[in-house]
Amino acid sequence: MTIVVEKLLDLYSQIHLIRRIEEKIAEEYHQQTMRCPVHLSIGQEAVAVGVSAHLNSNDRVYSNHRAHAHYLALNANLESLIAELHGLENGCCGGRGGSMHLIDLEKGFAGSTPIVGATVPIAMGAAFAFKQQKRSHIAVSYLGDGCFEEGVVYESLNFAALHRLPILFVLENNQYSVYTRLKQRQPEGRSISKLAAAMGVSVLHGDGNCIDDVYGLAAQAIAQIRAGKGPYFIELDTYRWPEHCGPSDDDHLGYRPQGELAAWKARCPLQYAKTLLVQAGVALNHIQQLEQKNSKKIESAWVKALNGLTPNPKKAAEGVYV
Ligand SMILES: Cc1ncc(C[n+]2csc(CCOP(=O)(O)OP(=O)(O)O)c2C)c(N)n1
């Protein structure tokens, strides 16, 4: 899909911001000021950016343990994310949740939790509520290929199809669940898209590293959902560059075939988006200015976030409802 230059600049800027913030997290992680585990999305950024471009703050987005990109692509609060990673009171969960428990309701990010598949039925419930209340909003459920070993995901797809719910399932197929490849977990030749189609939802499949592909498929699916055509499922092929959990490279562990990581790095979503900009006639110094603006934004948010207070232990039971 051809994207107008202004939009493309905006999408590039978001991919760049997410890449740089995650690189900054990786750089700072060894200082041990972030005591929560971090699951970085470096290499997968175009998925969240291309999908979020078609959402508004009344929609509800649900995510998993690898949530930073999903949160940031909604323009959710950067400072609150950084503070949350540091366990500070000004974090989006008051410092209680860390990287895997993010929320920004103002921006439509209804939350992430790390239990694989756990937010899928919750997203489906939000879509059910939207339908009952005759609202025009949609729910978005981000899931990894690992979710397809969880029964609740099949139940959610079935229910969404049965009731023609306004929900978009976004499968980020990065081929791995921790250290195990998809083909070691599921029978050879199986296609997750075909499984989803068999459950009765409309399916699209594309390249998650190409922002124009993601943007175009998400536009198509979301327009259909908003028009009352029922649930959609987009499978997007992509690849995680860092280790499953943590800031480092883990290619030495040997669970990835030799050369696979390098081949995917050569298909970098950030570089791809930059090439689209250059082909559209955008000058390199214009792109550079935009990148500098993002770097300043990150530096200033980092400083402000770290000025936050450590949570007061007396408030530890606040928000506990049982
Ligand atoms: C129900 C459950 N089982 C196991 C785990 C441990 N676990 C955490 S992340 C993960 C891998 C999930 O893979 P995928 O859904 O493909 O997402 P990715 O990490 O590749 O982004 C696993 C097995 C968990 N959190 N929840």
Side-chain angles (χ1 to χ4, degrees), residues 17 34 45 64 76 108 124 208 213 221-222 233 239 272 281 317-318:
L17 183 93
M34 288 171 262
E45 303 91 342
N64 53 23
M124 197 271 299
D213 208 20
I222 291 172
F233 181 97
Y239 199 80
Y272 180 85
E318 275 180 17

Side-chain angles (χ1 to χ4, degrees), residues 1 63 94 102 152 183 200 226 256 261 267 291:
M1 182 184 200
S63 165
L102 304 179
V152 74
K183 64 180 179 196
R226 293 204 199 277
R256 313 184 198 237
L261 175 60
R267 301 196 55 248
E291 292 172 348

